Amino acid sequence: MKFIDSSVEIIEQEPGLIGAYKQIEKAARVSYKSEDRITEGSAQKMVNALIKNGHNACLEHGTIYLKMSYDVSAIGSYRKSGILKYDENPYSKVVFDDCMDFKNAYITTNARVIVENGWEDDLQYMCEPTEYHAKRITVKFTTSMGIVREILRHRVFSFMNESTRYCNYSKGKFNNELTFIIPQWIYNLQAEEASYNDSLTGYPKDCLMSLRGEELVHQLTCEDRAAATWFNNLERCEDYYMYLLSGVDGYQLKPEEARGILPLDLKSELVVTGFVDDWLHFFALRSYIAATGKPHPDLRILADGLMLEFLDRDYITNEDIDRLKDEKRKQNNQGN
């Protein structure tokens, strides 16, 4: 049994079509936890296999940026240019520049749109993202299954989740153990316990604040009954899960069957890709500026850190955050 903190990581897409292929492979392999099989040249083979098997959802994580033009003065030029189909596509965004004679269209879409519509010829217009393109950002969350469920409610995103159907945690690949996320309440308990004096020595227990991760979990099981109960339950779940997969003295279950007893604090990886505007809506609901209700503390800490990273990378601006705060104030005033 292993305990880790939750984390969040932005996955930058590498340049060119091969960069989109690599992004798709990274997302797809999270499902089976087969990242160790990524090699030079494996990305295109993976994409070809996904298309052949009809697993097109994975293709959504490969962002395609196009630049196409049409003659403003020529009748029918816009329709013939092929831009209209992207303008009408719900999974693509088109931004136009202000040129007088020829208008440039800056198109952001994804590989699934291209493949399912047979628009591969348009890849000749592929380019690196410009200031005009609507950007799509890919993020990997390492968090609990419970928090994953909350993120999945944002249905405008594309998702790829670590699969408890196919991942067999009793195998050596997973060190024959389950990994659990340390919830925020454990750190709240840590601060509370550290503020007390030891009942035996009378000395402060502020040394608890130096502990993190598994060391903290094991220490708190000795300090607090709630922590001990939580720990013991997870330990039993791991034992029962491993037993069900072993087939010893009973029917041997498959991972997709044994997963029914897995707890919500099980570690789960989730790759999420979406437009910047979609991420702003995510921050408006899940970060400290939450416009509707109080976000779950385990998700809020991830959303707050991710929002700061978006600011540092200039994906969003402080003006965007101020606008979200203003919207929150207006909603609060209407509620009152």
Side-chain angles (χ1 to χ4, degrees):
M1 188 161 58
K2 184 178 179 181
F3 292 89
I4 64 171
D5 289 319
S6 59
S7 61
V8 62
E9 170 193 4
I10 295 174
I11 305 176
E12 292 274 12
Q13 181 169 304
E14 296 180 30
L17 186 58
I18 190 62
Y21 288 161
K22 288 181 178 180
Q23 196 80 339
I24 293 166
E25 181 183 28
K26 289 173 186 175
R29 291 198 179 279
V30 163
S31 181
Y32 293 84
K33 293 306 297 164
S34 60
E35 293 94 336
D36 58 317
R37 298 180 64 180
I38 294 177
T39 62
E40 191 65 38
S42 63
Q44 187 158 0
K45 292 179 182 178
M46 167 65 82
V47 171
N48 291 340
L50 291 171
I51 295 172
K52 180 180 178 181
N53 295 321
H55 295 166
N56 291 347
C58 301
L59 305 181
E60 296 175 18
H61 296 277
T63 299
I64 305 295
Y65 296 102
L66 306 171
K67 180 182 177 182
M68 303 172 73
S69 304
Y70 71 98
D71 187 344
V72 176
S73 62
I75 298 176
S77 176
Y78 172 61
R79 182 174 294 275
K80 291 178 182 178
S81 68
I83 299 170
L84 177 62
K85 63 192 180 189
Y86 292 104
D87 214 5
E88 295 177 338
N89 183 272
Y91 309 107
S92 308
K93 289 192 178 184
V94 182
V95 178
F96 297 94
D97 62 17
D98 296 323
C99 295
M100 296 298 294
D101 298 325
F102 280 85
K103 269 195 177 293
N104 295 312
Y106 300 87
I107 300 164
T108 306
T109 188
N110 65 73
R112 183 176 188 174
V113 170
I114 297 291
V115 169
E116 290 189 347
N117 291 286
W119 296 344
E120 287 86 352
D121 286 347
D122 290 345
L123 293 176
Q124 64 183 300
Y125 303 110
M126 192 169 179
C127 64
E128 292 309 300
T130 68
E131 61 180 310
Y132 296 104
H133 282 97
K135 305 299 191 302
R136 292 177 86 234
I137 310 297
T138 297
V139 173
K140 185 172 83 169
F141 292 88
T142 301
T143 185
S144 67
M145 286 205 302
I147 295 303
V148 162
R149 291 183 180 183
E150 299 209 12
I151 300 172
L152 290 175
R153 293 180 62 191
H154 295 262
R155 285 171 283 183
V156 294
F157 288 119
S158 298
F159 301 108
M160 192 55 56
N161 190 201
E162 179 177 343
S163 174
T164 52
R165 280 194 67 195
Y166 301 111
C167 291
N168 186 338
Y169 299 109
S170 70
K171 299 295 184 182
K173 178 179 181 179
F174 299 97
N175 202 29
N176 310 96
E177 65 182 352
L178 297 180
T179 298
F180 299 105
I181 294 294
I182 302 173
Q184 191 59 36
W185 70 262
I186 286 288
Y187 289 106
N188 295 340
L189 175 60
Q190 176 189 32
E192 182 177 309
E193 287 291 326
S195 67
Y196 300 147
N197 289 337
D198 190 286
S199 58
L200 295 177
T201 66
Y203 291 112
K205 296 193 293 184
D206 52 2
C207 59
L208 271 176
M209 296 306 296
S210 65
L211 303 181
R212 297 290 296 183
E214 291 190 37
E215 190 178 9
L216 172 63
V217 168
H218 289 293
Q219 181 61 38
L220 286 181
T221 60
C222 303
E223 303 281 345
D224 184 87
R225 187 170 180 179
T229 301
W230 172 75
F231 178 88
N232 292 337
N233 181 64
L234 298 183
E235 190 173 45
R236 286 193 194 96
C237 287
E238 182 182 61
D239 289 342
Y240 293 155
Y241 176 82
M242 297 302 174
Y243 167 75
L244 291 173
L245 292 174
S246 71
V248 175
D249 299 328
Y251 181 74
Q252 184 175 13
L253 273 63
K254 299 175 183 177
E256 64 182 18
E257 298 165 331
R259 72 172 181 173
I261 67 167
L262 294 174
L264 290 180
D265 279 338
L266 182 76
K267 185 271 293 183
S268 186
E269 294 181 14
L270 178 69
V271 176
V272 184
T273 302
F275 287 98
V276 168
D277 284 348
D278 299 328
W279 282 111
L280 280 170
H281 182 67
F282 173 83
F283 297 140
L285 295 177
R286 305 299 182 179
S287 73
Y288 75 93
I289 58 172
T292 56
K294 188 176 181 180
H296 192 290
D298 290 344
L299 182 50
R300 175 185 159 172
I301 197 168
L302 294 174
D304 287 351
L306 183 61
M307 186 165 63
L308 288 175
E309 186 72 15
F310 268 53
L311 285 167
D312 288 343
R313 297 184 183 219
D314 293 326
Y315 296 156
I316 61 176
T317 65
N318 286 310
E319 287 73 20
D320 293 323
I321 304 301
D322 290 339
R323 176 171 53 82
L324 293 177
K325 290 179 179 178
D326 287 339
E327 291 174 359
K328 178 181 178 180
R329 279 193 289 268
K330 289 178 182 178
Q331 289 181 4
N332 290 340
N333 291 334
Q334 290 173 356
N336 296 330

